[in-house]
Amino acid sequence: MKTLKSIGYLLGLPLILLAWWWIATSGATNFFVPTPAQLAETFVETWMGERLLTDVLPSVIRLVAGVLAAIVLGIGLGLAVGLNRTMRALTEPVFEFFRALPPPVLVPVLMLLVGINDGMKIAVIISGCIWPVLLNTIEAVRSIDPVQNETSRSYGISGFNRIRYQVLPSATPTIMAGVRQCLSIGLILMVISEMFASSSGLGFTIVQFQRSFAVPEMWSGIVVLGLIGVALSFVFQWCERRVLRWYHGLKEVENAV
């Protein structure tokens, strides 16, 4: 019963919106808005074939590579800066400067520095995804309970053991919030990076459909992006439940009391 209820919550609103769309476009002849049946047929014809390997898969690989690199770099640099007051004071103005730069503005610069290749597209994704993870990590480490720090020192826990057993468990909930934010940013930057000097990928293909007035195909590409976003959300929730199993269990106990 609980499983059916969860499925109902998961599919209820999408089915209502789909039914509303079906009714609103029934008998309509608007060139710019396809009907659900037309869009479903176009989706299968366009993406369930060669484009799945030539456009969708390379885009997803670049997205995953960029996001994972941003997470590793953000957490590593965030721990180093968050644990050192002097480094925090030195890096804060620099971080604020680069954080304020919109990542799409860096595309021409990265094209010159890295070249027109997959590395440039991954670098664009990293340039935007790293900031939520980095800043959340710094803030999480900085705001660790001072009592925990004193307790660690009292028991002689230092170095890597302190990071592993005290800092990371305390900071992980906030870090995971930054990771969630970077997923949507990464998806947006994946599309933007493929709109410049590219000959494949979802962003390139959707723009080509738009320029050739292939409206149903363009909409089907947007649906693919939405499905990738949903898949990323489910993967993140699965990982979060396992990484923060102790945290959610603690919250359940606190709420029960």
Side-chain angles (χ1 to χ4, degrees):
M1 187 64 181
K2 185 177 180 180
T3 303
L4 292 176
K5 189 176 180 180
S6 299
I7 295 174
Y9 281 127
L10 181 66
L11 299 178
L13 183 58
L15 291 176
I16 291 172
L17 292 175
L18 186 61
W20 174 79
W21 180 19
W22 195 293
I23 294 171
T25 58
S26 178
T29 57
N30 191 328
F31 175 76
F32 298 103
V33 182
T35 63
Q38 182 185 9
L39 182 58
E41 181 181 354
T42 304
F43 179 88
V44 174
E45 293 175 353
T46 305
W47 302 105
M48 296 294 104
E50 184 181 353
R51 289 189 186 278
L52 186 65
L53 298 177
T54 59
D55 290 317
V56 179
L57 186 59
S59 293
V60 172
I61 291 175
R62 288 190 286 263
L63 172 63
V64 172
V67 168
L68 289 179
I71 292 172
V72 172
L73 291 173
I75 293 176
L77 187 57
L79 288 173
V81 174
L83 291 171
N84 191 306
R85 290 184 179 180
T86 303
M87 190 174 291
R88 276 207 307 272
L90 290 174
T91 56
E92 185 175 3
V94 178
F95 286 165
E96 290 300 325
F97 174 82
F98 283 104
R99 185 175 70 91
L101 296 177
V105 173
L106 300 177
V107 172
V109 178
L110 293 173
M111 288 172 62
L112 293 174
L113 296 177
V114 182
I116 302 173
N117 49 36
D118 286 348
M120 181 273 291
K121 299 177 180 67
I122 293 173
V124 171
I125 295 172
I126 295 173
S127 68
C129 290
I130 192 173
W131 297 111
V133 182
L134 173 61
L135 298 178
N136 275 35
T137 303
I138 293 174
E139 182 60 26
V141 173
R142 188 188 66 80
S143 59
I144 290 176
D145 188 352
V147 176
Q148 290 187 8
N149 293 329
E150 293 298 329
T151 304
S152 297
R153 293 191 188 95
S154 299
Y155 283 97
I157 303 174
S158 60
F160 178 75
N161 285 333
R162 178 179 173 237
I163 294 175
R164 179 181 178 184
Y165 294 110
Q166 186 227 334
V167 175
L168 279 178
S170 299
T172 300
T174 305
I175 294 173
M176 293 302 288
V179 172
R180 179 187 286 274
Q181 295 174 23
C182 89
L183 294 178
S184 58
I185 295 173
L187 189 58
I188 294 170
L189 293 178
M190 178 198 77
V191 176
I192 293 175
S193 68
E194 293 172 349
M195 290 180 175
F196 296 90
S198 181
S199 59
S200 65
L202 277 168
F204 168 80
T205 305
I206 291 173
V207 170
Q208 290 300 107
F209 286 149
Q210 180 262 330
R211 290 174 178 171
S212 59
F213 293 96
V215 177
E217 287 79 4
M218 180 190 71
W219 278 97
S220 69
I222 295 172
V223 171
V224 173
L225 290 175
L227 293 176
I228 293 175
V230 172
L232 286 175
S233 176
F234 285 141
V235 170
F236 172 80
Q237 291 177 28
W238 182 84
C239 294
E240 184 187 40
R241 282 196 298 268
R242 279 148 184 79
V243 173
L244 296 179
R245 183 182 296 129
W246 63 271
Y247 178 77
H248 293 302
L250 180 62
K251 290 298 181 182
E252 290 178 2
V253 172
E254 291 178 349
N255 293 333
V257 175

